[in-house]
Amino acid sequence: MKNTEQPKAVLVLFGSTGDLAKRKLFPSIYNLYQKRNLSEQFAVVGLGRREWTDDILQEHVRASIHEEVNDATADIETFVSHFTYMPFDVTNKESYTRLKNKLAGLDDEYHIPGNRIFYMAMAPEFFGTIAESLKSEGVTNTKGWSRLVIEKPFGHDLSSAKKLNGEIRQAFAEDEIYRIDHYLGKEMVQNIQVIRFANAMFEPLWNNRNISNIQVTSSEKLGVEGRGGYYEKSGALRDMVQNHMLQMVSLLAMDIPLRLTTDDIRAEKIKVLRALRSVEGERASTDAVRAQYGKGQLDGKEVPGYLSEENVDPHSKTETYVAAKLMIDNHTWAGVPFFIRTGKRMGVKSTKIVVQFKELPLNLYAKEGATSGPNLLIIHIQPDEGITIVLNGKKIGSAETTPVDLEYRHGTTDRVNTPEAYERLLYDCMVGDATNFAHWDEVSLSWAFVDALSEAWEHSDKPLASYESGSMGPREADQLLDKDGFHWWPVEDV
Ligand code: BG6
């Protein structure tokens, strides 16, 4: 990332003693600093319930950089000196007055023109109280700008999301709110628009006249990793589909925006979500599959099933896998299924998009025993990054045709959920670019979709399917495509 603007701001980190701060935020701020995307005119105030001191916070920041950043070249001591800690009780107004004074002092010390980012990296139940008190105690009342960064989950259904939004909107305007979806910070997710809109090879073909179906897979090897308590209430539908999967679908299906501005891009994405057909009633059984992992083998080791995980009800019906056929009822996409699937404890960690083009009306080479197939565009999001175009060519020395792969891969090692996504998003927030954050309309439309499906599942007699850990999901997900004459393109080896 090379940017010329060096924002000057104080970052106020609610939840600075937590895991997200340690694994993602500290390393990301450091990376921005070392790439000189941040000048010396920045400060970070860590807040938390614990009685930490500046020294303790700084020690944690140091440790997280040593652990997470491979090539730390900028001076770590100077960097950590920008961090300060305040024990904070979110329900006590006096804490906010102390914070206000602290921020005024930091503005003076680092010559910061009153710019503030309030980053909520903590449990959402207090977001409303915090936003309200930040305003009532005058913490957001500054000469510069104030922005609120908010992590998922943004509510657990439409009504809780509305309530939360109402609360934060008391203190922040929509354009001051940055709702994180870390998939939007991923290099290749950002590349979807470039691939589509900067290539004459794809843009004219990107519609129902030329595309037969689109498949979006995000599979994980991880199980619930000690997050059973949270996951029991969310399941894969709320944890992955409501946000990351629908965001990718919107980027794939949006029309070309008028300009590359935040408003124009978001407006097109919102239109897609408005056209997304609700999967409710009978369709929840025919067009969607929910499943839970059983025990199995992963990388040569036995792993337990979901019901034996910590903090999981042994009779739980929570889905750890979702596959669905999505239809977008607009002129461009009528008739084209978007198949999505996501699950935990699957055989590979992979996020990939496969765009399958329609076959030629008359393919002279399509005959008995022929090996030619449809053209594919594969967008590799992670762990590999790049694209593959699958064409048909002639087998050398024979008259037969054969699929030929044209590959472009970024030279990356495993970049699974790396700090880079957070680094980009933090920087975007500092420079006031909200394009890669979720607008309230996107969040609310996604929740409406998820709520309808979830409710239909509750009333459905179709049992939860199951799949073995280490597999690529339940049989039912294959049948979902089979009905339309399609199959999942493998994500393991393409
Ligand atoms: C998070 C989910 O939003 O995304 C996790 O809460 C999931 O359950 C994670 O593991 C996946 O992110 P990534 O970047 O590893 O695909």
Side-chain angles (χ1 to χ4, degrees):
M1 194 171 26
K2 271 215 174 54
N3 298 290
T4 44
E5 197 176 335
Q6 289 185 316
K8 306 173 179 70
V10 183
L11 181 68
V12 181
L13 200 49
F14 288 87
S16 64
T17 58
D19 195 49
L20 183 77
K22 189 176 91 189
R23 284 189 306 119
K24 308 272 191 254
L25 304 179
F26 298 152
S28 300
I29 304 167
Y30 177 77
N31 280 333
L32 288 171
Y33 177 75
Q34 98 164 337
K35 290 176 187 162
R36 298 191 189 287
N37 287 330
L38 267 186
S39 67
E40 295 294 337
Q41 286 171 264
F42 83 95
V44 179
V45 186
L47 305 178
R49 267 177 309 191
R50 300 188 203 177
E51 288 296 326
W52 280 11
T53 58
D54 290 356
D55 284 348
I56 300 179
L57 176 68
Q58 291 178 0
E59 188 43 44
H60 276 78
V61 177
R62 230 178 255 121
S64 124
I65 295 168
H66 287 307
E67 212 161 288
E68 307 284 345
V69 182
N70 296 329
D71 50 349
T73 50
D75 185 50
I76 296 180
E77 287 316 305
T78 320
F79 175 73
V80 299
S81 70
H82 290 254
F83 284 69
T84 167
Y85 184 79
M86 254 184 69
F88 198 85
D89 174 358
V90 295
T91 59
N92 181 349
K93 299 275 183 200
E94 196 251 313
S95 289
Y96 296 86
T97 316
R98 280 194 297 121
L99 176 62
K100 186 179 168 182
N101 296 336
K102 173 83 141 188
L103 292 174
L106 290 168
D107 282 351
D108 285 347
E109 186 180 343
Y110 291 100
H111 309 290
I112 295 168
N115 296 335
R116 283 152 199 193
I117 294 182
F118 299 94
Y119 197 119
M120 307 284 176
M122 56 181 287
E125 62 257 33
F126 292 114
F127 291 172
T129 316
I130 296 173
E132 195 248 315
S133 307
L134 286 174
K135 181 166 184 192
S136 68
E137 303 316 295
V139 192
T140 48
N141 186 8
T142 142
K143 293 192 296 298
W145 44 255
S146 285
R147 294 178 187 145
L148 177 75
V149 179
I150 194 158
E151 280 287 334
K152 70 170 271 267
F154 196 89
H156 51 87
D157 57 12
L158 180 57
S159 103
S160 57
K162 270 189 182 154
K163 178 166 176 286
L164 172 59
N165 203 49
E167 289 167 347
I168 61 176
R169 283 297 307 273
Q170 286 175 37
F172 295 90
E174 174 62 33
D175 63 3
E176 293 172 326
I177 301 172
Y178 290 69
R179 297 179 194 82
I180 294 236
D181 183 314
H182 78 280
Y183 268 52
L184 295 180
K186 290 185 192 279
E187 181 63 35
M188 287 306 294
V189 172
Q190 297 191 350
N191 211 339
I192 295 173
Q193 286 179 62
V194 182
I195 294 167
R196 292 190 49 197
F197 303 137
N199 288 299
M201 266 178 78
F202 296 126
E203 203 285 323
L205 299 183
W206 212 265
N207 52 49
N208 50 8
R209 291 185 294 287
N210 304 292
I211 289 176
S212 71
N213 76 96
I214 295 187
Q215 304 179 7
V216 184
T217 300
S218 193
S219 60
E220 293 188 80
K221 283 184 171 182
L222 293 179
V224 284
E225 314 297 310
R227 293 160 77 217
Y230 153 76
Y231 201 82
E232 274 284 271
K233 289 197 229 99
S234 90
L237 183 63
R238 292 180 171 77
D239 188 48
M240 292 291 291
V241 176
Q242 186 271 335
N243 36 70
H244 314 320
M245 303 303 284
L246 290 182
Q247 280 290 342
M248 288 191 282
V249 168
S250 314
L251 289 167
L252 288 163
M254 69 189 268
D255 272 348
I256 189 160
L258 214 49
R259 284 170 299 260
L260 289 176
T261 60
T262 304
D263 287 350
D264 286 353
I265 292 173
R266 282 171 154 186
E268 295 304 333
K269 286 170 68 192
I270 290 166
K271 278 201 242 162
V272 172
L273 293 169
R274 286 175 48 209
L276 184 62
R277 190 186 300 168
S278 182
V279 180
E280 54 191 0
E282 208 16 53
R283 288 193 63 228
S285 305
T286 55
D287 290 7
V289 174
R290 55 180 164 153
Q292 193 182 72
Y293 62 81
K295 63 182 170 43
Q297 287 256 342
L298 203 61
D299 296 332
K301 285 201 200 95
E302 285 289 328
V303 290
Y306 180 69
L307 297 180
S308 315
E309 301 278 12
E310 204 186 324
N311 294 329
V312 167
D313 173 358
H315 304 290
S316 172
K317 295 270 178 272
T318 300
E319 78 289 347
T320 61
Y321 176 101
V322 174
K325 169 176 157 178
L326 308 184
M327 299 303 291
I328 296 165
D329 291 324
N330 66 15
H331 184 79
T332 313
W333 294 112
V336 179
F338 284 66
F339 296 109
I340 59 167
R341 60 175 166 167
T342 181
K344 297 220 177 264
R345 278 279 189 255
M346 294 174 65
V348 287
K349 167 78 186 174
S350 178
T351 305
K352 272 193 194 12
I353 293 161
V354 182
V355 179
Q356 178 175 340
F357 290 88
K358 287 189 173 165
E359 309 239 7
L360 289 170
L362 175 68
N363 183 349
L364 296 173
Y365 295 93
K367 47 181 182 271
E368 198 64 25
T371 53
S372 62
N375 293 141
L376 304 176
L377 166 68
I378 302 164
I379 305 178
H380 307 266
I381 291 176
Q382 63 183 13
D384 296 337
E385 295 183 339
I387 59 174
T388 302
I389 300 173
V390 182
L391 305 171
N392 290 307
K394 189 173 106 41
K395 246 190 207 164
I396 298 175
S398 133
E400 278 178 43
T401 59
T402 186
V404 181
D405 291 0
L406 302 184
E407 301 232 16
Y408 164 68
R409 298 284 168 106
H410 292 180
T412 52
T413 48
D414 190 15
R415 294 178 60 158
V416 178
N417 207 3
T418 52
E420 281 86 345
Y422 274 90
E423 202 180 309
R424 281 196 196 97
L425 295 175
L426 263 174
Y427 184 79
D428 284 357
C429 172
M430 287 186 196
V431 297
D433 182 353
T435 315
N436 291 312
F437 294 82
H439 185 275
W440 166 243
D441 290 350
E442 296 172 71
V443 173
S444 61
L445 288 162
S446 307
W447 274 127
F449 174 85
V450 160
D451 284 358
L453 175 53
S454 164
E455 198 189 312
W457 272 344
E458 259 169 50
H459 296 108
S460 151
D461 324 322
K462 197 168 175 186
L464 178 75
S466 79
Y467 60 104
E468 211 178 299
S469 283
S471 70
M472 279 313 286
R475 220 180 39 247
E476 288 80 349
D478 296 333
Q479 292 159 355
L480 180 71
L481 274 69
D482 210 32
K483 284 188 284 193
D484 287 346
F486 299 122
H487 61 82
W488 292 107
W489 292 97
V491 295
E492 300 88 322
D493 53 358
V494 289

